[in-house]
């Protein structure tokens, strides 16, 4: 059992390490660190050093994931992972916190025997910035990174394979990045990147699922005409129809538990102040942790668009741009994470993740669980992204307790 004062010191070190890594950037004065970029080399050196000091055997796999294994190669293994890449002009904690907490959990067990092994992974790529393809690191881990993706080019016409070679790694060894067959579970600590925990006044949340998502493009086709000479009853105003629909989108989402729906872009044509808008295109994003709820909502929003159009002689059509199913996390491990929270005196809070994370890629292959750490101000993907020291301390305590419970169960 680590002493409370030691744990607080370890949590402070976690935060300090996140801040230290934030200095390694492709752009001076900010934190921008994309897949296998030059500053990632120094990040690898530091992370590998901390892993080694914690007693882990460290390797870098063919996609550039830094991996440290603590404990015997044949022992049942728990992965604790998140990502080391960032969005442009990022904060210090998105992804990085999960890796640093993983190392701290191992540090807490240093010297003590554990019947399981812990593998801490710093994924090389999650954000999808360089190749517009997210999750390259975790996809290599579960074996879903295919040849086509390895051939995708960045803006400098460098392929993923070229980038791997340029970093001194061997893309032909991608198969060796696959997770060990002794892997039994996956834990990801991550900042919430949203305001829910803060609004509840809570430090930590157990993630039950990563929401599914539908993105659609709607077209409202009416008729453009003179804004002065066309009486109201003879108009086919596409923007008026779209506007009524946008309000209906908000109303449905507000009235449906856990549903978020957003019209994030709307364009009116011809786009002149003195012309009745004849055509509007709009992008709709709908998310929910239950696929059937999302499916039903999308259906109702299609109907709402059609009826808003019909009232105004506006034809409505749509096309689906993206459809992604929700990913549920492991019920058994989620229960253990809740138990770990109770054991350290934190009443569990359950929530769904509205954003995608590596756990989404890993969960179909390995029993997976996620712990969210409160985001002050709900701010993320921004230099002001922050964490509270006491929250990191609580997350570390939960992580250590969770490992204890998992070790007893395996
Ligand atoms: Zn992240």
């Amino acid at each position: 059992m680590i002493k409370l004062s030691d744990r607080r010191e370890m949590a402070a070190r976690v935060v300090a390490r996140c801040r230290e890594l934030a200095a390694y950037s492709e752009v001076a004065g900010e934190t921008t660190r994309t897949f296998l970029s030059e500053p990632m080399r120094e990040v690898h050196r530091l992370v590998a050093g901390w892993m080694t000091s914690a007693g882990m055997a460290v390797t870098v796999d063919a996609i550039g994931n830094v991996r440290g294994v603590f404990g015997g190669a044949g022992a049942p293994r728990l992965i604790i992972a998140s990502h080391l890449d960032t969005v442009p002009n990022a904060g210090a904690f998105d992804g990085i916190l999960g890796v640093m907490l993983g190392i701290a959990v191992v540090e807490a067990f240093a010297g003590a025997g554990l019947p399981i092994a812990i593998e801490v992974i710093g994924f090389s790529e999650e954000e999808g910035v360089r190749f517009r393809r997210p999750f390259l690191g975790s996809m290599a881990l579960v074996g879903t990174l295919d040849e086509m993706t390895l051939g995708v080019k960045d803006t400098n016409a460098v392929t993923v394979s070229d980038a791997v070679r340029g970093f001194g790694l061997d893309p032909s060894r991608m198969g060796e990045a696959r997770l060990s067959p002794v892997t039994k579970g996956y834990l990801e600590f991550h900042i919430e990147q949203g305001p829910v925990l803060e609004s509840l006044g809570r430090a930590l949340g157990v993630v039950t699922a990563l929401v599914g998502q539908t993105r659609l493009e709607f077209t409202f086709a009416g008729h453009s005409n003179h804004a002065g000479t066309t009486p109201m009853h003879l108009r086919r105003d596409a923007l008026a129809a779209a506007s009524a629909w946008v309000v209906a989108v908000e109303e449905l989402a507000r009235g449906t538990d856990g549903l978020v729906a957003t019209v994030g872009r709307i364009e009116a044509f011809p786009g002149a102040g003195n012309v009745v808008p004849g055509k509007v295109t709009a992008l709709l994003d709908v998310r929910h942790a239950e696929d059937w709820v999302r499916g039903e909502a999308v259906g109702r929003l299609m109907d709402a668009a059609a009826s808003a159009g019909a009232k105004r002689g506006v034809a409505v059509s749509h096309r689906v741009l993206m459809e992604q199913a929700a990913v549920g996390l492991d019920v058994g491990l989620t229960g253990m994470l809740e138990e770990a929270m109770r054991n350290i005196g934190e009443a569990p809070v359950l929530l769904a993740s509205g954003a995608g994370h590596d756990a989404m890629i890993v969960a179909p292959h390995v029993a997976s669980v996620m712990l969210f750490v409160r985001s002050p101000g709900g701010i993320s993907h921004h230099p002001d992204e922050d964490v509270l020291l006491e929250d990191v301390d609580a997350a570390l305590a939960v992580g250590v307790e969770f490992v204890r419970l998992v070790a007893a169960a395996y």
Side-chain angles (χ1 to χ4, degrees):
M1 197 71 187
I2 33 169
K3 284 199 314 246
L4 214 62
S5 56
D6 290 348
R7 205 185 68 203
R8 185 51 77 102
E9 209 171 287
M10 290 167 81
R13 194 163 61 210
V14 165
V15 174
R17 284 173 173 174
C18 291
R19 296 244 180 248
E20 184 177 349
L21 294 183
Y24 296 94
S25 173
E26 292 154 53
V27 182
E30 61 177 55
T31 301
T32 299
R33 197 172 55 245
T34 59
F35 176 58
L36 298 182
S37 57
E38 268 315 297
M40 199 61 101
R41 290 183 195 276
E42 197 60 16
V43 165
H44 275 194
R45 196 185 62 77
L46 285 165
V47 172
W50 296 329
M51 285 177 166
T52 306
S53 300
M56 288 183 258
V58 184
T59 54
V60 175
D61 67 23
I63 199 68
N65 298 325
V66 185
R67 303 168 70 156
V69 178
F70 178 75
R77 187 178 292 189
L78 173 72
I79 291 175
I80 306 179
S82 197
H83 59 97
L84 296 172
D85 67 321
T86 75
V87 295
N89 199 19
F93 300 99
D94 175 4
I96 324 300
L97 178 72
V99 185
M100 297 305 109
L101 272 169
I103 295 172
V105 168
V106 169
E107 286 170 344
F109 287 100
L114 250 189
I116 61 165
I118 301 176
E119 178 173 5
V120 178
I121 306 178
F123 289 124
S124 57
E125 210 289 336
E126 189 269 351
E127 300 285 5
V129 173
R130 181 167 176 186
F131 289 96
R132 298 170 311 283
R133 292 285 195 290
F135 309 118
L136 299 180
S138 45
M139 284 167 71
L141 180 77
V142 299
T144 55
L145 187 65
D146 55 21
E147 285 299 322
M148 215 170 84
T149 308
L150 289 172
V152 171
K153 290 177 178 161
D154 68 9
T155 50
N156 297 314
V158 175
T159 65
V160 174
S161 286
D162 292 341
V164 164
R165 269 187 292 270
F167 203 76
L169 300 166
D170 181 356
S172 74
R173 299 180 66 176
M174 203 56 74
E176 295 168 34
R178 291 285 290 274
L179 49 81
S180 160
V182 294
T183 307
K184 300 280 188 205
Y186 173 96
L187 164 66
E188 183 167 358
F189 298 97
H190 204 285
I191 53 168
E192 183 203 338
Q193 303 183 282
V196 175
L197 290 173
E198 186 173 73
S199 74
L200 297 170
R202 305 301 299 276
L204 306 172
V206 176
V207 181
T208 52
L210 295 110
V211 301
Q213 185 181 2
T214 308
R215 284 193 212 172
L216 304 113
E217 184 187 61
F218 280 79
T219 302
F220 295 79
H223 201 270
S224 296
N225 213 334
H226 197 290
T229 61
T230 318
M232 296 310 287
H233 71 284
L234 295 177
R235 292 180 181 208
R236 293 167 58 199
D237 186 331
L239 185 54
S243 305
W245 171 71
V246 170
V247 174
V249 169
E250 187 199 32
E251 271 168 11
L252 177 72
R254 275 175 175 270
T256 311
D257 199 28
L259 184 75
V260 287
T262 309
V263 180
R265 185 187 162 91
I266 191 157
E267 224 177 334
F269 303 92
N274 59 352
V275 181
V276 176
K279 183 184 150 188
V280 164
T281 58
L283 297 180
L284 171 68
D285 176 313
V286 182
R287 307 187 195 203
H288 196 274
E290 298 276 0
D291 289 334
W292 69 270
V293 176
R294 175 172 48 90
E296 210 169 275
V298 167
R300 285 176 65 180
L301 294 177
M302 286 172 182
D303 294 346
S307 98
K311 277 181 198 159
R312 298 169 179 87
V314 172
V316 181
S317 58
H318 70 268
R319 63 190 182 105
V320 177
L321 303 178
M322 176 194 162
E323 181 107 56
Q324 192 177 283
V327 175
L329 294 176
D330 186 71
V331 175
L333 284 188
T334 301
M336 280 193 211
L337 201 52
E338 288 178 61
E339 192 180 338
M341 282 186 74
R342 279 192 292 271
N343 291 354
I344 68 143
E346 289 263 344
V349 178
L350 304 177
L351 72 170
S353 173
H357 296 291
D358 289 301
M360 198 168 88
I361 302 302
V362 179
H365 304 268
V366 180
S368 296
V369 74
M370 277 193 90
L371 186 73
F372 271 170
V373 178
R374 165 168 47 191
S375 289
I379 296 166
S380 185
H381 285 186
H382 187 278
D384 290 345
E385 184 180 272
D386 205 359
V387 287
L388 300 176
L389 178 59
E390 59 263 38
D391 295 356
V392 175
D393 181 37
L396 177 57
V398 170
V400 169
E401 182 61 18
F402 176 75
V403 167
R404 244 189 269 283
L405 294 172
V406 166
Y410 283 168

